[in-house]
Amino acid sequence: MNDVVLTGDRPTGPLHLGHYFGTLANRVKLQDKYPTYVLIADYQVITDRDLPGQIQRNITGLLLDYLAVGIDPEKVTIFQHSAVPELNQLLLPFLTLVSVAELRRNPTVKDEIAHSSQQAVSGLMFTYPVHQAADILFCKGTLVPVGKDQLPHVEVTRLVARRFNERYGEVFPLPEAMMGERPLLKGLDGGKMGKSRGNAIALSASEDETAALIRRARTDPDRLITFDETHRPEVANLLTLAGLCLGRPPQDVAAEVGHGGAAALKSLVTEVVNDFLRPIRARRVRYTEADARRILAEGNERARERAITTLGEVRAAMGF
């Protein structure tokens, strides 16, 4: 069986440079090596919140971010959860293969519950690792790019696939996690980078917005700029960001700034980030919202064809 990649994001806001260096750049490379499905996980937005927010606007923005970084809809199937009912129908038989105790023990679920904004934890919160198994297995995904915190979900998917095959016959491959060396970028305030925290540079940000965000970034009063992640984490984070944009070690960037202090560092980071984002911004403006809707409709159709086939195999194996 040929390898198939499944990856994706929840449409909760604009993607930022942390997403680019963490996952998006790798997706652009993968699309030339493997059949790739990119999921806009709109149903999963409500796993940890009561309302989905500006869901249609966020879906369009997410798709435009994908196109801007170079994800090619001619090579990749981009689709959304809510447009592929056959994928979601796989959740029912898959839930019979996993116990409540196993779902409760999932460390990622525990963490999501701890940080949930819901007034009460919903049943969907417990079952979304199985929903993710449906995301991966509907297209017979074999390679799943993940961070360390998402490894338990891949294990749930392998468990579901293995138990289904043992109970009903061989239908699904056992997917493997693709663990890359993802650089960890913190937010410009020194905390965890997040879409909703106002501490990240969105891929869609203008040059002026980018400059304003970097001006507000935390640093320290020492004029000699050095790369020290332990004792100078905020300065190190800016150096890491500049190094990623330049393709150079952050230590080299520190040596270039020298005794210039925080002002010189922020000036350099602003320049290199805007230079890096310029071609991404240029690609983004080539596409209209109408283009985004058309591309998504085409991707949804291809994904649904794949899901119909897989659901048919599942129903036949189960004797329905």
Side-chain angles (χ1 to χ4, degrees):
M1 180 179 292
N2 294 328
D3 283 320
V4 175
V5 171
L6 185 285
T7 184
D9 302 278
R10 298 196 305 170
T12 55
L15 299 182
H16 49 67
L17 280 172
H19 293 117
Y20 180 84
F21 291 114
T23 63
L24 296 174
N26 190 44
R27 291 181 198 176
V28 174
K29 296 175 183 176
L30 290 173
Q31 70 183 359
D32 292 321
K33 298 179 181 179
Y34 307 105
T36 300
Y37 288 79
V38 178
L39 167 65
I40 297 178
D42 52 354
Y43 274 165
Q44 287 183 7
V45 172
I46 53 175
T47 57
D48 61 352
R49 61 196 70 200
D50 294 316
L51 296 171
Q54 298 178 312
I55 190 70
Q56 290 300 329
R57 177 181 175 183
N58 288 340
I59 288 170
T60 300
L62 184 57
L63 181 53
L64 289 172
D65 282 339
Y66 288 157
L67 300 173
V69 300
I71 292 176
D72 186 346
E74 297 298 321
K75 300 176 181 178
V76 169
T77 298
I78 306 172
F79 69 102
Q80 65 188 98
H81 258 157
S82 59
V84 188
E86 293 78 11
L87 180 161
N88 298 296
Q89 195 172 338
L90 291 173
L91 181 61
L92 295 176
F94 286 180
L95 280 172
T96 69
L97 302 170
V98 183
S99 71
V100 172
E102 287 169 330
L103 292 174
R104 286 184 182 277
R105 287 198 299 268
N106 187 296
T108 310
V109 170
K110 290 181 180 179
D111 183 67
E112 292 286 349
I113 289 173
H115 294 89
S116 172
S117 63
Q118 288 180 314
Q119 294 182 357
V121 177
S122 70
L124 187 60
M125 178 67 82
F126 284 101
T127 61
Y128 91 90
V130 183
H131 200 178
Q132 287 191 323
D135 298 339
I136 296 166
L137 296 177
F138 97 95
C139 62
K140 306 289 182 75
T142 58
L143 300 174
V144 187
V146 292
K148 187 177 181 180
D149 61 330
Q150 292 289 310
L151 281 176
H153 290 324
V154 178
E155 287 306 311
V156 170
T157 303
R158 289 174 60 85
L159 178 71
V160 167
R162 186 167 56 249
R163 287 179 178 171
F164 187 95
N165 293 342
E166 290 170 352
R167 186 174 298 184
Y168 300 112
E170 291 291 324
V171 173
F172 295 111
L174 298 186
E176 300 285 344
M178 294 182 72
M179 293 288 292
E181 290 297 322
R182 298 182 178 184
L184 179 61
L185 275 176
K186 294 182 179 179
L188 296 173
D189 58 0
K192 182 179 180 181
M193 184 177 288
K195 298 176 186 175
S196 61
R197 301 181 184 217
N199 64 358
I201 300 170
L203 299 175
S204 55
S206 69
E207 293 204 9
D208 288 344
E209 290 168 338
T210 299
L213 283 166
I214 294 172
R215 277 197 301 272
R216 297 200 300 268
R218 290 183 181 177
T219 53
D220 60 42
D222 193 338
R223 290 197 60 80
L224 176 61
I225 298 301
T226 58
F227 182 73
D228 186 338
E229 293 179 290
T230 301
H231 299 102
R232 308 182 72 186
E234 292 90 356
V235 169
N237 193 50
L238 286 175
L239 291 168
T240 297
L241 175 57
L244 287 168
C245 291
L246 291 167
R248 292 165 51 192
Q251 294 85 349
D252 289 359
V253 180
E256 182 176 332
V257 178
H259 287 84
L265 173 61
K266 290 181 180 182
S267 176
L268 175 64
V269 173
T270 300
E271 179 183 351
V272 301
V273 169
N274 275 325
D275 284 347
F276 183 83
L277 287 175
R278 201 160 286 127
I280 293 176
R281 292 171 179 140
R283 277 194 296 267
R284 188 185 184 89
V285 298
R286 296 176 195 165
Y287 296 96
T288 65
E289 291 191 6
D291 292 329
R293 288 193 294 270
R294 173 185 56 78
I295 288 167
L296 188 57
E298 292 170 354
N300 288 340
E301 184 177 356
R302 291 199 300 271
R304 193 169 184 195
E305 289 173 358
R306 174 70 266 192
I308 289 170
T309 298
T310 300
L311 181 61
E313 293 174 7
V314 166
R315 289 172 56 83
M318 296 178 70
F320 285 107

